Amino acid sequence: MSDIIQLLPDAVANQIAAGEVVQRPASAVKELVENAIDAGAGKIQLIIKDAGKSLIQVIDDGCGMSLTDARMCFERHATSKIRKADDLFAIRTMGFRGEAMASIAAIAQVEMKTRRHEDELGTCIFIEGSEVVSQEACQANTGTSISVKNLFYNTPARRNFLKSNPVEMRHIIDEFQRVALANPQIFFTLHHDAQEVYHLPGAALKQRIVHLFGNNYNQRLVPVEEDTTIINLRGFVGKPEFARKTRGEQFFFVNNRFIRDAYLNHAVITAFEELLPDDSFPFYVLFIDIDPSRIDINVHPTKTEIKYQDEKAIYAIIRSAVKRSLGRYNITPSLDFDQENSIEHLITPKPFEEIVAPTISFNPDFNPFASEQKPVREHPFLRADGGFKSSPIPKNWDTLYEISKKEDNLQHELHQEERIAVNEQEVSKSSERQLFQIHNRFILSQIKSGFMLIGQQAAHERILYERFLQQLQNHSGVSQQSLFPQSVTLNGSDFELLKELLPDIRSLGFDIREFGKNTVVVEGVPAELGNVGEHELLEHLLEGFKNNMAILKLDKRDNLARSLARNAAIKTGTKLSLEEMNQLIDQLFACETPNQALNGKPVISTFTMAELLERFEK
């Protein structure tokens, strides 16, 4: 029997490796931009077409490569970052494995132009499916320009698993934001389909955060800084009142490398104890500078997981530093026992002989009961000739009060008789239904067999959810036009998500149009929402959509209807009139599933007379 174990061809081995390194266009963007940073670039341009499926181009002004290096960089395990195994524990660069360029070249058509500062001519290489098609000298700018075209062209199964363009573009923006935050001193630009998405000049970290997420973040940031023998911590956390329902805007960087670490994230969350609800997550951008010998970053192909030697100590440092920063900037309440003493310093002491007792002057002859008689004010009445005349007060004026009193009593008795008659009959009309609101939270309604309790917020969410779902299916949403259209600026990721959802959002009754970079103009909102701020409404709608997408994996329309219903429903603590309670109950029982809330719990609880008698009678 012949041998059956053989070495794989390099092209096949590279395609297999590419499955771990390049999972989607955003993975290729991350690897190319990090290589540009390692090359010492001060300006990086990222150009995207068709959400990275057609083109990913990264242009930098770094050190460039020689003719030999340009050819060698596409070989597997070829890198300039390390030389021996010990270098793995002193890594300060972004890349070090030498797999990214080989993996990208195995599943795409790659063209690279590069030139060093000291060279007159550069090098142009074109590679297709790990095979070098051409290599020649060319005129090029200092630095490197890499174009990745038709990603996954030779692995159609992988290409078919890619999501829609807006989804893939959101992943690209997420990777771009992480790299831009880690390197605020570098000038970044991002263009998608010939439109500029980001233009980020080199600046301090706070300005970079504002440029990425919007000007409203300028007032939300609380600085954090702590230097210890184990780590140096710096960055910003968001104020508690601006916390979100999703985890999207939480960034940890270790030696300028973005990481995901649930343990360290828990340290930040515990620092916000009693400042945030259980389902809210604060914004933070925190940088940890640590000795590379104390960590191991060679854990995962994406290099987003790290092992630490002093994990518990790092946890304690982060928690205490964030908590102290929140207290320092008066975010958390504090007790100042020296406050009373400090007030004394505001009083200037005087000699005892200069202190004069206050005196009171009064009129001893004043008599409040000896006031002058004021003339009685006469009431004018219209004369026949159109003028005015004064008329004395009519006689027997007190009989008017007796007449009105009798009418009130008569009317009260009539209503009482009618109410008693109604109680004797079966209650079927909403106007005759007996309702009570308990703690502005539940609605109590009497029924034949006893009574039922209805959760008002859960009931309204169910009503709006089914209504919005029907509007999405029939495209029948009614819009309430705004008197003054409002412009809303979103961050890049939310703007791409809004563009993806725009047809369905318009079906709900929103009148929205794009207006420049990451900005939309809201000219109308659904009529059911009433007076709600446009910016707050869109922000909560997108936030709820992302949260449902991450947890429940819902259909897009179902997710959108659920998110909008949660935001538009009346909240617990809202006082309702009798008419509003009747209307809510009528609409609830008109739903397909009136007794199921959006979270799966019951909306209605029924208590029978038998249960009440068993509880109160022996």
Side-chain angles (χ1 to χ4, degrees), residues 451-466:
F451 68 91
M452 62 180 179
L453 278 178
I454 302 173
Q456 65 182 35
Q457 182 174 348
H460 200 209
E461 286 179 358
R462 165 56 60 178
I463 295 168
L464 293 179
Y465 167 72
E466 294 195 5

Side-chain angles (χ1 to χ4, degrees), residues 321-574:
V322 173
K323 200 172 187 66
R324 189 179 66 176
S325 295
L326 293 175
R328 181 187 302 172
Y329 290 91
N330 297 327
I331 304 301
T332 58
S334 60
L335 293 177
D336 187 2
F337 295 100
D338 296 331
Q339 186 174 5
E340 294 182 358
N341 297 331
S342 63
I343 297 176
E344 295 178 357
H345 297 289
L346 302 177
I347 303 174
T348 304
K350 279 187 174 184
F352 182 77
E353 58 273 8
E354 294 184 9
I355 299 177
V356 180
T359 58
I360 301 175
S361 58
F362 62 94
N363 182 9
D365 298 329
F366 175 74
N367 185 2
F369 300 100
S371 58
E372 297 179 357
Q373 294 291 333
K374 293 184 179 180
V376 179
R377 184 178 178 183
E378 298 178 348
H379 298 274
F381 290 92
L382 187 65
R383 292 201 309 258
D385 58 357
F388 289 94
K389 70 175 183 178
S390 297
S391 175
I393 299 176
K395 297 180 179 179
N396 301 327
W397 57 270
D398 54 337
T399 58
L400 297 174
Y401 291 98
E402 295 178 359
I403 296 173
S404 63
K405 188 175 180 180
K406 290 180 180 179
E407 291 179 354
D408 286 342
N409 292 336
L410 180 61
Q411 186 177 9
H412 179 70
E413 292 174 0
L414 289 175
H415 284 300
Q416 187 175 6
E417 292 176 0
E418 181 181 358
R419 185 171 66 249
I420 295 173
V422 169
N423 289 338
E424 292 175 353
Q425 299 176 359
E426 180 182 356
V427 178
S428 58
K429 297 180 181 180
S430 61
S431 59
E432 300 169 348
R433 189 182 293 139
Q434 293 186 3
L435 301 176
F436 304 94
Q437 192 178 19
I438 303 175
H439 295 296
N440 295 337
R441 187 184 185 99
F442 300 101
I443 299 174
L444 186 148
S445 176
Q446 180 178 329
I447 56 178
K448 279 186 176 182
S449 60
F451 68 91
M452 62 180 179
L453 278 178
I454 302 173
Q456 65 182 35
Q457 182 174 348
H460 200 209
E461 286 179 358
R462 165 56 60 178
I463 295 168
L464 293 179
Y465 167 72
E466 294 195 5
R467 184 183 302 170
F468 292 147
L469 205 58
Q470 186 176 7
Q471 291 175 359
L472 285 170
Q473 294 172 355
N474 302 331
H475 302 279
S476 58
V478 179
S479 177
Q480 175 67 43
Q481 294 295 309
S482 302
L483 184 61
F484 301 102
Q486 298 292 325
S487 62
V488 179
T489 302
L490 305 168
N491 61 52
S493 179
D494 287 348
F495 182 72
E496 292 295 328
L497 177 60
L498 181 63
K499 288 200 300 184
E500 179 187 2
L501 300 176
L502 206 53
D504 291 325
I505 287 178
R506 285 171 175 161
S507 299
L508 291 170
F510 284 93
D511 188 358
I512 299 178
R513 58 182 174 88
E514 296 183 31
F515 187 74
K517 185 175 78 172
N518 296 345
T519 303
V520 294
V521 174
V522 182
E523 298 181 342
V525 296
E528 295 90 347
L529 301 187
N531 297 325
V532 183
E534 288 82 354
H535 189 279
E536 181 182 0
L537 179 61
L538 279 182
E539 191 175 74
H540 289 173
L541 175 63
L542 297 176
E543 193 173 333
F545 183 89
K546 291 186 292 185
N547 196 27
N548 293 336
M549 185 170 56
I551 298 175
L552 303 177
K553 307 294 183 183
L554 298 172
D555 173 72
K556 183 171 68 172
R557 289 187 174 181
D558 188 281
N559 189 350
L560 194 60
R562 186 181 298 262
S563 176
L564 188 58
R566 286 183 180 275
N567 290 315
I570 56 174
K571 300 299 183 285
T572 297
T574 304

Side-chain angles (χ1 to χ4, degrees), residues 266-282:
H266 187 266
V268 179
I269 298 300
T270 54
F272 280 84
E273 278 182 338
E274 300 180 359
L275 295 176
L276 293 178
D278 294 336
D279 57 346
S280 297
F281 304 95

